[in-house]
Amino acid sequence: MSQEYSEKDIVGKWKVVKVLKKPEGPNFTDIIKSFSSATFQFEENADFKITTLDKTKLFAMLTDITIDAKWRLNNNKYAISIGNDSNKYSILKIILVEVDDKMIFHLDETELDLEVVKE
């Protein structure tokens, strides 16, 4: 199911166009809303930034802890870890899956699958 990617494949802005899979329950409503309009930015210098049009409290916490965060492609070449050396890149893990020519970001800590397009 998973393919291998290079840093060059990842660099750029990725906009969420659709939430494909989401956790059930009222606790997730705000975070789903925030991620449905999110943009992930992966810089060549390994800087990482995430933004949204619908900023909720929980998403604000995520953007706060990702200030000055870096990204790196894991050794397996199909997952991205967000963080830095001090937290062992443990803030967020994104598993990359391509299905029918569509890129899916699976957020490992949640049940979210996000269809994204590179801008």
Side-chain angles (χ1 to χ4, degrees):
M1 183 72 114
S2 298
Q3 297 84 10
E4 287 191 3
Y5 299 94
S6 70
E7 280 79 3
K8 188 177 160 216
D9 296 325
I10 307 304
V11 168
K13 264 187 174 179
W14 294 85
K15 174 89 177 113
V16 175
V17 292
K18 190 175 185 182
V19 177
L20 299 174
K21 183 180 170 199
K22 55 191 171 197
E24 298 298 322
N27 298 344
F28 295 103
T29 305
D30 283 350
I31 199 74
I32 292 166
K33 185 177 178 185
S34 292
F35 271 109
S36 64
S37 65
T39 301
F40 296 79
Q41 191 164 337
F42 302 95
E43 301 289 345
E44 277 188 52
N45 66 358
D47 284 350
F48 172 78
K49 186 176 184 184
I50 186 168
T51 56
T52 184
L53 300 175
D54 292 298
K55 199 167 194 175
T56 58
K57 269 187 183 175
L58 195 56
F59 201 89
M61 287 173 33
L62 177 63
T63 55
D64 286 349
I65 61 173
T66 58
I67 291 173
D68 297 326
K70 302 285 186 189
W71 70 274
R72 71 176 179 200
L73 198 55
N74 293 4
N75 292 337
N76 55 28
K77 302 292 186 197
Y78 65 86
I80 301 168
S81 291
I82 310 297
N84 54 47
D85 288 333
S86 66
N87 60 35
K88 297 180 175 65
Y89 286 80
S90 64
I91 293 173
L92 183 63
K93 184 176 179 184
I94 302 168
I95 297 171
L96 307 168
V97 183
E98 207 168 329
V99 179
D100 299 328
D101 293 328
K102 294 178 180 176
M103 179 60 82
I104 311 298
F105 282 6
H106 172 75
L107 305 185
D108 200 38
E109 291 79 6
T110 69
E111 293 298 313
L112 281 173
D113 282 351
L114 307 171
E115 182 182 331
V116 293
V117 293
K118 201 170 190 179
E119 294 185 333

